[in-house]
Amino acid sequence: MSEHALRAEKLDAGDELAALRDRFVLDDVVYLDGNSLGALPVHVPALVDDVVRRQWGELRIRSWQESGWWTAPERIGDRIATLVGAAPGQIVVGDSTSVNVFKALVAAVRMAGEDRDEILVDATAFPSDTYIAESAARLTGRALRPVIPSDVPGVLSGRTAAVLLNHVDYRTGRLHDLPALTAAVRAAGAVSVWDLCHSAGALPVGLDEHGVDLAIGCTYKYLNGGPGSPAYLYVRTGLQDRFDSPLPGWNSHAEPFGMRPAYAPAPGALHGRVGTPDILSMLALEAALEVWDGVSMDAVRAKSLALTDFFLECVTAYAPPGTVESLTPEAHAERGSQVALRCPTAVDVMPRLIERGVVGDFRHPDLLRFGFTPLYVGFADTERAARVLGEVLG
């Protein structure tokens, strides 16, 4: 057994989160694609079966009240709030990430005022964020300006209405400085909007602590909510009375069953609701979130950094020189929970890794991405992944 394999065994023996692995369906693979789709928690199928057979099949319409369907968006929102550092009453679950980006960005521009005519958007953002930002700019008559996150403080001005940033770069795993950038946006009188898709469930976020205005995120990555599980919208308490959603659906009306011809928004986070909640996937998400009971986000972050450190060390030891190059920052303060390796043959390498039980993903044109989900990825998994990568590259 190699030195790194022996070290992995010792690290796993001292891992306080190691027991959580049994809460997921993993088979005999090293699953390093949780930054795209989280693994299935073992108890979720039984819950979904109950939702379909009993709540829908037997109780039918009664389940809106008796099974708690009606209050699910805000109830599950409060559960997510504990993972991103937010007090209850500020997060509502529903719709897709893109829809929530649209709601948040248009509302941010409206709150900023007519005299602010520019939107800043993360130039490294996931494409959907940019597409939505372009549409929001056209609809609100604002100019759109793509900016590298680190350059934001230098380009903020009295013209800036809103700033849309990704907390973690989906390609490289770079973690951007949310506290400092949020403070800079606030000092400029603009509204901050953060995309947490690649950070929620992987590291502490501190939405309330750092004064974030609006945030959105998906739930199918590190939160393990399942394919297409609903996204969420965070609206800071102090802004909720001013939050003017561009999608005022019946479900966010103060009297949703009053069928009033004029719209009157529901109070608080409920204002972020739109249409009828997608109950099946929403309740699957609620069940999946149970795996977080008793889990410390600080412990998750500590293990995440240890795993990615160890992986980079093992890759250096196992991969032939010059075959891969890490694009993920070495500094912990700048690293999310994934490692991105540039590899000229990445498009061929990833399928070969998957064939050998190491599941990551490929991003055009030459990136191998490996997501480290601390709830179910161990150090032996990490050593095995790097060793197999070295063998494939060799």
Side-chain angles (χ1 to χ4, degrees):
M1 184 177 290
S2 72
E3 172 190 346
H4 287 91
L6 286 170
R7 184 176 168 203
E9 284 191 355
K10 293 180 180 179
L11 289 169
D12 277 334
D15 177 15
E16 64 178 288
L17 301 180
L20 297 176
R21 182 184 176 90
D22 293 337
R23 300 184 187 181
F24 295 88
V25 178
L26 293 168
D27 303 319
D28 187 30
V29 300
V30 179
Y31 190 65
L32 301 181
D33 209 5
N35 54 328
S36 285
L37 176 65
L40 171 67
V42 296
H43 67 282
V44 169
L47 183 281
V48 173
D49 185 73
D50 177 73
V51 172
V52 172
R53 296 180 184 277
R54 183 183 64 84
Q55 296 181 30
W56 179 15
E58 297 176 17
L59 296 178
R60 291 177 286 275
I61 197 72
R62 292 162 51 194
S63 275
W64 284 106
Q65 296 299 328
E66 295 180 27
S67 300
W69 289 1
W70 186 256
T71 57
E74 59 267 31
R75 182 178 72 242
I76 302 171
D78 285 346
R79 184 68 185 84
I80 293 172
T82 65
L83 303 177
V84 294
Q90 298 177 99
I91 292 181
V92 63
V93 174
D95 306 311
S96 68
T97 304
S98 295
V99 170
N100 281 307
V101 169
F102 179 77
K103 288 188 285 187
L105 198 53
V106 173
V109 171
R110 290 175 174 177
M111 286 188 284
E114 291 298 328
D115 57 330
R116 292 177 175 264
D117 62 0
E118 186 175 72
I119 299 172
L120 303 185
V121 63
D122 186 342
T124 65
F126 189 78
S128 287
D129 285 12
T130 303
Y131 305 157
I132 295 295
E134 289 174 346
S135 178
R138 290 197 306 272
L139 288 169
T140 59
R142 266 59 175 185
L144 185 67
R145 184 175 182 182
V147 182
I148 299 297
S150 59
D151 293 340
V152 165
V155 299
L156 288 165
S157 71
R159 294 183 54 197
T160 309
V163 183
L164 171 62
L165 298 170
N166 281 219
H167 196 190
V168 174
D169 188 310
Y170 79 100
R171 286 178 297 255
T172 66
R174 176 177 292 277
L175 173 66
H176 298 300
D177 192 344
L178 181 147
L181 290 170
T182 300
V185 173
R186 185 190 315 114
V191 179
S192 60
V193 183
W194 283 94
D195 182 332
L196 309 179
C197 286
H198 287 268
S199 59
L203 51 91
V205 177
L207 292 178
D208 287 353
E209 176 186 359
H210 302 304
V212 169
D213 294 321
L214 305 171
I216 52 87
C218 66
T219 61
Y220 48 79
K221 300 183 190 296
Y222 295 104
L223 299 183
N224 312 298
S229 56
Y232 57 91
L233 169 68
Y234 164 89
V235 183
R236 180 165 59 83
T237 299
L239 294 180
Q240 289 178 359
D241 289 344
R242 297 170 53 206
F243 183 83
D244 184 5
S245 175
L247 298 174
W250 78 280
N251 218 257
S252 65
H253 196 285
E255 297 180 74
F257 292 99
M259 305 303 165
R260 308 293 184 191
Y263 180 72
L270 295 179
H271 193 175
R273 294 172 66 154
V274 183
T276 304
D278 43 352
I279 292 300
L280 298 184
S281 57
M282 190 169 290
L283 296 187
L285 165 63
E286 183 173 35
L289 291 172
E290 291 178 13
V291 301
W292 291 94
D293 291 346
V295 176
S296 161
M297 192 53 65
D298 288 334
V300 169
R301 177 59 169 165
K303 182 178 177 182
S304 164
L305 291 171
L307 287 170
T308 49
D309 278 343
F310 187 54
F311 182 68
L312 289 167
E313 178 184 331
C314 289
V315 168
T316 299
Y318 292 138
T323 54
V324 293
E325 173 194 1
S326 175
L327 298 186
T328 301
E330 292 186 9
H332 286 181
E334 299 175 4
R335 187 193 308 167
S337 198
Q338 75 176 49
V339 171
L341 301 178
R342 174 169 287 157
C343 174
T345 57
V347 66
D348 298 315
V349 167
M350 185 53 68
R352 294 173 64 191
L353 289 175
I354 293 173
E355 287 176 0
R356 297 186 57 175
V358 176
V359 182
D361 70 12
F362 163 76
R363 284 292 179 268
H364 184 80
D366 58 0
L367 285 187
L368 300 170
R369 291 197 320 166
F370 302 94
F372 291 83
T373 307
L375 299 191
Y376 53 76
V377 174
F379 292 91
D381 299 321
T382 301
E383 187 275 339
R384 175 182 164 189
R387 176 165 36 85
V388 172
L389 174 63
E391 292 168 359
V392 168
L393 291 172

